[in-house]
Amino acid sequence: MSSGTFAAYRPILIAIAALAALPLAVPLLVGAGLFAGPNTFYNLMIFILIITLAAQGWNIAGGYGGQFSFGHAAFFGTGAYAQAVLQTRYGVNAWVALPLAMALGGLVGALIGLLAFRARLRGSYFALVTLAFAEVFRILANATPITGGAAGTLVPLRIGFGQMQFDAPAAFFYLALAFVAVVLILNRLLERSRFGAWLVAVRENEDAARALGVDTLTVKLKAITLSAAVTAVAGALYTQKFLYVDANIAYGAWISVEALLAPIVGGIGTVFGPLIGAVALIGLGEAAKTVIHAAFGSAVPGVDLVVYGLLLVVVIAFAPRGLIGLLRTRGGR
């Protein structure tokens, strides 16, 4: 590996090493009263990593390719349900189910992309179509026996490495971190590849890219397929961590919002934007819940959504390139 290539990946290695070292600080964080216990810390961090994966998936098609989606829940839910149904209905091992869930999510992305892009849908029309597909999938999952209908699907608790269920919460944290690391590297490779340049060309001016010989349909199809596959992995990990999924969890608007907001807040079309955005959104949301609970003695439903809205307004007003763009601007001064 040349020095230039290593320099391109060094920030990723540093970020992953820093995240991997976080468990060392758990006793201090718990002792300081920031977390009720180690499980609270790990649950929060795993959730942040899962949202980061979904946001990284959205960022491939939306950030680099300019194909904004309002319905990435369609891919998250497909991965989540595939992970649960393959284990409970067909006895597939969890480690085998996960790549199958990823492949199924990618297939759904390819089909939606084929229908939308062949119809030349762009911008808000494409966004609304993805939203519609997510809602259709939610309704179907809520009424289909194979998914458990409205009751959802419960994955049996069978602690063991072979079942991807771990007694130590740190184990699942490192598993989720490994997937985040892989996708961070994948996004860096994408940025430095010809395909990545084609994606950016399509984002900036699709007609001009087509005139220059770029097969825009193929580029967009590959992007939405890869985007969906990554988001499906996030859904599969969610199921495997919490061992339960229903239609509102899998295909609910909440995950589409999280996957969309994290890159916008962190920085669209950047490697670290989804990670920074997920940490900011979820971290501040949880902090607000903690502060309000301490001040008033009870939780206030929806306070995290208020924080999301305020943060989004602040970012759009003062940091249109996201938090990472703001950091780069400050660092360049």
Side-chain angles (χ1 to χ4, degrees):
M1 181 182 291
S2 66
S3 59
T5 302
F6 178 75
Y9 293 93
R10 182 165 50 200
I12 295 175
L13 299 177
I14 293 173
I16 295 303
L19 288 171
L22 275 179
L24 298 176
V26 171
L28 294 176
L29 296 173
V30 173
L34 297 178
F35 294 95
N39 284 339
T40 305
F41 167 82
Y42 284 114
N43 284 339
L44 176 63
M45 288 306 303
I46 290 169
F47 186 67
I48 287 175
L49 292 176
I50 288 173
I51 296 303
T52 298
L53 270 178
Q56 285 174 322
W58 185 94
N59 196 45
I60 292 171
Y64 292 112
Q67 309 304 313
F68 276 40
S69 162
F70 288 170
H72 256 54
F75 315 132
F76 180 91
T78 298
Y81 265 118
Q83 185 72 12
V85 171
L86 285 172
Q87 291 180 78
T88 57
R89 300 277 183 176
Y90 301 104
V92 178
N93 179 269
W95 293 98
V96 177
L98 195 147
L100 293 176
M102 180 179 68
L104 186 58
L107 178 61
V108 170
L111 291 174
I112 292 177
L114 188 63
L115 292 172
F117 297 142
R118 279 201 175 277
R120 298 186 179 276
L121 297 180
R122 302 183 190 178
S124 58
Y125 295 104
F126 174 73
L128 291 174
V129 163
T130 58
L131 178 63
F133 270 106
E135 183 62 15
V136 168
F137 287 172
R138 187 189 68 81
I139 294 171
L140 290 175
N142 208 38
T144 305
I146 195 172
T147 62
T153 299
L154 183 67
V155 179
L157 178 64
R158 293 192 293 266
I159 299 295
F161 180 85
Q163 300 298 324
M164 205 189 293
Q165 297 181 22
F166 312 105
D167 192 35
F172 204 95
F173 166 77
Y174 284 116
L175 175 65
L177 181 60
F179 278 103
V180 169
V182 169
V183 179
L184 285 172
I185 293 171
L186 174 67
N187 281 348
R188 180 67 83 199
L189 286 169
L190 183 67
E191 282 187 343
R192 297 164 63 88
S193 69
R194 181 177 298 180
F195 175 67
W198 290 341
L199 260 183
V200 173
V202 170
R203 179 188 70 195
E204 296 301 321
N205 192 320
E206 185 174 338
D207 294 328
R210 187 183 299 109
L212 291 172
V214 176
D215 187 345
T216 57
L217 175 60
T218 300
V219 168
K220 291 192 293 184
L221 279 176
K222 288 181 178 178
I224 193 67
T225 300
L226 182 58
S227 173
V230 172
T231 306
V233 172
L237 288 177
Y238 184 96
T239 293
Q240 202 59 40
K241 168 60 181 175
F242 299 103
L243 301 179
Y244 174 76
V245 63
D246 65 14
N248 291 324
I249 292 173
Y251 294 115
W254 72 275
I255 185 59
S256 293
V257 172
E258 300 268 11
L260 171 68
L261 284 185
I264 290 177
V265 170
I268 289 179
T270 63
V271 170
F272 287 106
L275 174 59
I276 292 173
V279 171
L281 283 171
I282 299 171
L284 288 176
E286 290 300 316
K289 289 180 183 178
T290 302
V291 170
I292 288 177
H293 189 277
F296 299 101
S298 63
V300 177
V303 67
D304 52 334
L305 298 179
V306 174
V307 172
Y308 291 178
L310 290 174
L311 184 57
L312 181 61
V313 169
V314 169
V315 167
I316 291 176
F318 300 104
R321 291 186 298 163
L323 296 177
I324 195 168
L326 184 63
L327 291 174
R328 287 173 176 173
T329 301
R330 296 291 183 183
R333 289 182 178 177

